Amino acid sequence: MDTLPAASAHTPARSPIAYSGEPGAFAEDAVHAYFGPGAATLAVPGFRGVFEAVVAGEAAAGVVPIENLVNGTVRENYDLLLEFPLEIRGEVVVPVRLCLAALPGETLDGIERVYSHVQALGQADAFLRQRPWTLLTTYNTAGAGKAIADRGERGAAAVLSPRAAALFGLVVLADGIESVPDNRTRFLVVATPGAGLPPTAQHAADPSGAARTTLVMGIRNEPGALLRALAVFAGHGLNMSKLESRPAHDRPWEYVFWVDLDADAAAPATGAALADLAAVTTSLRVLGSYPRGAGG
């Protein structure tokens, strides 16, 4: 079983937490929900930038989205988790409330173009299909609003959070445009193994104290190989809450499987299962065992 490099450096409490986007982004909401509203933050461009900032020591940890109730997984971050030597230290679930906002003086009838991250456009699809708007993707929801404000762009609107709209002086033309009212995004907290982190907010974790373990495993390309691996979890009484395949970048047309277990890696049953998996997988890496987020 692959192991991550150990680290023991203490991280000062005011070291920033990296996230992708601009102030007002949902990722910044996730930082504050997990570490508290007073947490120092570092906005970087793109998800890869979050991982790079943590590895370089510019941030104590990073927060990245991994799954949305409507649009499913953020696959880029699965690949980055496998590429970088970081571990998952926690998760936090953030409600997604979307609005359509534009410069003061704009109206719905005057809008021709709508900007946002592709995930947010998908999460507001039912509303956006009501008009013949041109939909344009940006790297971040809050960044879409900032770009409109910086350019003074007329005839344009952004799909973003009401908080982000207010930060950039935009006027909300329509609120609550998310297709699923209870829409939420699950974010992961990643850090260097063993590094100290700022204190966690009181209500970030599930009150039940339940744990989640995330791992990635390579499976032989032969009949029954995946079934044998999954049978290990069943045999040890472990519930698998998520299973997803991703291409194995070093082997064409072969795949690795990402697994979320409702279990603590330190529990005897989990440890026994991981030992048994080594016999039926080609590779195995535990990316983290951490408290499940409230609402996750």
Side-chain angles (χ1 to χ4, degrees):
M1 181 170 60
D2 295 342
T3 57
L4 292 168
S8 58
H10 175 72
T11 302
R14 290 299 296 172
S15 293
I17 309 300
Y19 70 92
S20 172
E22 302 286 345
F26 288 108
E28 187 186 46
D29 292 341
V31 172
H32 292 155
Y34 191 83
F35 291 105
T41 59
L42 174 66
V44 299
F47 299 139
R48 176 174 290 275
V50 174
F51 286 81
E52 291 174 341
V54 177
V55 169
E58 298 169 359
V63 172
V64 293
I66 197 65
E67 184 178 14
N68 176 264
L69 281 182
V70 176
N71 278 16
T73 53
V74 183
R75 294 181 175 180
E76 179 184 350
N77 284 329
Y78 274 131
D79 293 338
L80 290 169
L81 281 165
L82 195 56
E83 177 182 346
F84 284 85
L86 302 180
E87 67 178 1
I88 303 170
R89 301 285 290 276
E91 69 173 18
V92 61
V93 179
V94 174
V96 176
R97 179 185 165 197
L98 297 171
C99 71
L100 186 77
L103 293 173
E106 294 286 352
T107 64
L108 283 175
D109 291 336
I111 298 301
E112 300 174 352
R113 301 169 302 285
V114 176
Y115 297 91
S116 196
H117 189 276
V118 63
Q119 288 264 339
L121 294 175
Q123 292 161 25
D125 178 67
F127 171 81
L128 296 174
R129 283 189 284 106
Q130 296 177 14
R131 292 174 180 259
W133 290 320
T134 299
L135 305 183
L136 301 168
T137 60
T138 60
Y139 87 102
N140 180 252
T141 53
K146 183 177 186 298
I148 288 174
D150 288 347
R151 294 192 298 258
E153 185 175 351
R154 293 291 173 181
V159 174
L160 71 177
S161 73
R163 184 173 76 90
L167 283 174
F168 300 117
L170 302 181
V171 174
V172 174
L173 303 180
D175 199 2
I177 65 172
E178 60 275 7
S179 299
V180 176
D182 195 31
N183 191 14
R184 303 186 297 276
T185 297
R186 183 164 69 101
F187 290 79
L188 298 180
V189 179
V190 296
T192 303
L197 296 183
T200 303
Q202 182 177 359
H203 302 294
D206 190 299
S208 70
R212 195 190 308 274
T213 296
T214 298
L215 59 91
V216 59
M217 59 186 184
I219 301 294
R220 294 178 181 85
N221 188 14
E222 61 186 34
L226 179 59
L227 179 60
R228 287 192 291 273
L230 299 184
V232 170
F233 301 132
H236 289 279
L238 301 177
N239 183 58
M240 183 181 62
S241 58
K242 188 174 181 61
L243 174 68
E244 180 147 348
S245 65
R246 292 289 295 143
H249 293 166
D250 57 341
R251 302 186 304 277
W253 306 115
E254 294 198 18
Y255 299 85
V256 294
F257 291 85
W258 293 80
V259 178
D260 279 345
L261 296 175
D262 293 336
D264 188 339
T270 313
L274 293 175
D276 289 348
L277 273 177
V280 295
T281 58
T282 59
S283 63
L284 180 63
R285 179 177 168 188
V286 176
L287 288 164
S289 191
Y290 47 93
R292 194 167 65 192

